[in-house]
Amino acid sequence: MRPNALGTTIAGLVTVVGLAAGSVATAGTSFAATGTTAQTAAVSQPAAVAATENFGLTSAEAKNVQNFLADYWGYTGAIDGQLGTNSWKAFQRCLAKYWGYTGEIDGDPGPNTIKALQRLLKDDYGYTGDIDGIAGAGTRAAFKRFAA
């Protein structure tokens, strides 16, 4: 009986070692796939700028903004109610001329764009909050008044 028990134990150890070796090989493949995914995500990152950001405006309100931008700030895109990159580039031109925006005209409505927008909204559209670059409830409500 003992020789069989020893043989079974050795066979079990060989199986465990084989599984462990397979896991290490799989881990290497898994790691390589993760690295590839990370590189793909990094390459895809600039496409995120093209997303729309209406800051709470309805499509009809955003169309009003796009019409304003088309009339005065060189917006030539579709009047579709989606404030995307080209809408924000036109808005940044307006904000740069009158409201202290000093960043790139890149269509990204980031904190510097929002700060300039808040200055506009504070002056004429009832925004009473801080100029903090955060599009909170007060900024969104004043932006709706602007878009009306």
Side-chain angles (χ1 to χ4, degrees):
M1 211 67 179
R2 280 194 176 247
N4 278 345
L6 182 59
T8 302
T9 303
I10 291 173
L13 286 173
V14 168
T15 301
V16 169
V17 169
L19 288 174
S23 295
V24 170
T26 303
T29 304
S30 173
F31 179 76
T34 302
T36 303
T37 303
Q39 286 178 335
T40 302
V43 171
S44 299
Q45 189 69 16
V49 173
T52 61
E53 181 54 79
N54 284 14
F55 292 118
L57 299 184
T58 65
S59 289
E61 292 165 334
K63 285 179 182 180
N64 290 342
V65 172
Q66 287 174 320
N67 280 316
F68 161 75
L69 297 171
D71 288 345
Y72 300 104
W73 297 104
Y75 175 67
T76 59
I79 307 297
D80 59 3
Q82 299 297 314
L83 300 180
T85 302
N86 289 328
S87 297
W88 282 107
K89 281 181 179 180
F91 216 139
Q92 286 170 332
R93 288 191 288 274
C94 167
L95 296 171
K97 177 137 182 150
Y98 295 110
W99 305 104
Y101 177 71
T102 59
E104 294 291 321
I105 305 299
D106 59 5
D108 179 9
N112 290 330
T113 302
I114 297 168
K115 285 179 183 179
L117 177 62
Q118 288 170 330
R119 285 189 282 276
L120 178 155
L121 299 172
K122 185 168 251 184
D123 197 48
D124 291 321
Y125 296 93
Y127 177 66
T128 59
D130 293 334
I131 306 299
D132 59 7
I134 299 169
T139 302
R140 289 170 184 257
F143 194 38
K144 280 185 159 300
R145 288 189 291 276
F146 170 83

